[in-house]
Amino acid sequence: MASTEPEHERREDEEAQAGEDEDTGAQVAPIVKLEEVAVTTGEEDEDAILDLKAKLYRFDKDGSQWKERGAGTVKLLKHKETGKVRLVMRQSKTLKICANHLVISTMTVQEHSGNDKSCVWHATDFADGELKDELFCIRFGSVENCKAFMEMFQEVAESQKKKEENEDASEAAGILEKLSVEEKKTEDKAGEEVAAASEGEKETKSDGKPDADKKTEPASSA
């Protein structure tokens, strides 16, 4: 009885079986040897105080509409030495930076009207390699994450304000201390000049005083 299986399928099955049965035992070395490379993110000196998934938008002034910047992870990173905090967001697949700016004392964040999962804020952003004034809107997957972001953002802004006030107070104290030292030096110098002038006056009077022991001879008569 003739087989109803197509000839080409039967031939492929035989070849596949032959390939599975055959084991040459040969080991093929990789053509290119890849070396492990250390990757730096620029975040090594910072600690993440917030890390959430979200979608970011920026307001296009020319088109008067919101445009998507990317979906990924938004972080608030605090520098270990300076204490400054910046907001960084990277796209999830490409890791391209879509937001990168400091959180400063003058910034405020507020809920986006009509959506309790979104909030908006103004920032001077550096994501594109140059400083730009941007209006951002970020949307989270839950109301809780949005609230957590807003609370932490506001807390950081207030802490930066206190930090700036302390720095201003320290700077003012340093200036006053410097002025006090300079005034003291001026007073000391003035006192030395007065003392030197008094000493010089005494010497002058002493040189100009007539000698009491010296007798004046009478003039001879003509």
Side-chain angles (χ1 to χ4, degrees):
M1 182 177 179
S3 175
T4 58
E5 184 179 3
E7 180 66 25
H8 69 279
E9 290 184 6
R10 189 167 60 252
R11 191 163 50 247
E12 288 176 359
D13 291 341
E14 292 174 354
E15 291 175 356
Q17 186 176 359
E20 291 175 358
D21 295 339
E22 184 179 2
D23 183 10
T24 61
Q27 295 182 353
V28 180
I31 299 173
V32 179
K33 184 179 181 181
L34 299 178
E35 296 182 358
E36 186 176 350
V37 178
V39 178
T40 58
T41 63
E43 303 173 7
E44 287 74 18
D45 295 329
E46 298 166 307
D47 292 324
I49 57 177
L50 185 78
D51 189 336
L52 296 170
K53 291 188 179 299
K55 184 176 285 188
L56 184 70
Y57 302 83
R58 60 173 289 273
F59 188 74
D60 181 19
K61 297 177 183 177
D62 296 332
S64 296
Q65 61 181 337
W66 290 101
K67 288 190 175 181
E68 185 177 335
R69 287 284 286 176
T73 302
V74 61
K75 295 180 181 180
L76 289 177
L77 301 172
K78 185 175 183 180
H79 198 276
K80 296 177 182 177
E81 294 182 3
T82 65
K84 292 183 178 181
V85 178
R86 66 174 176 138
L87 182 149
V88 176
M89 183 168 179
R90 297 176 184 269
Q91 294 180 5
S92 56
K93 294 182 180 179
T94 63
L95 298 182
K96 180 183 177 182
I97 294 177
C98 47
N100 181 21
H101 65 78
L102 288 174
V103 179
I104 59 178
S105 60
T106 55
M107 287 183 177
T108 57
V109 61
Q110 54 188 336
E111 184 179 304
H112 189 36
S113 58
N115 193 335
D116 54 2
K117 295 181 182 179
S118 303
C119 54
V120 295
W121 74 95
H122 283 275
T124 303
D125 190 65
F126 196 71
D128 295 329
E130 58 179 351
L131 292 174
K132 291 182 181 178
D133 291 330
E134 299 280 13
L135 174 60
F136 286 121
C137 175
I138 193 166
R139 189 178 70 194
F140 295 92
S142 66
V143 177
E144 291 74 20
N145 282 353
C146 185
K147 287 183 178 179
F149 174 83
M150 292 178 64
E151 290 173 0
M152 183 59 72
F153 192 107
Q154 228 29 74
E155 182 181 329
V156 169
E158 291 173 4
S159 68
Q160 293 301 307
K161 184 177 181 179
K162 292 179 181 178
K163 186 173 181 293
E164 290 170 5
E165 289 174 351
N166 292 336
E167 289 176 352
D168 291 341
S170 299
E171 184 178 354
I175 292 173
L176 290 174
E177 184 179 357
K178 185 179 179 181
L179 288 174
S180 299
V181 171
E182 290 178 351
E183 286 177 1
K184 188 175 186 306
K185 287 182 179 178
T186 303
E187 290 175 358
D188 293 343
K189 186 176 181 182
E192 292 174 359
E193 290 177 352
V194 170
S198 299
E199 189 67 27
E201 186 177 348
K202 288 180 182 179
E203 292 178 356
T204 302
K205 288 181 179 180
S206 177
D207 293 341
K209 185 179 179 180
D211 192 353
D213 298 334
K214 187 177 181 181
K215 295 181 180 180
T216 305
E217 295 181 358
S220 58
S221 58

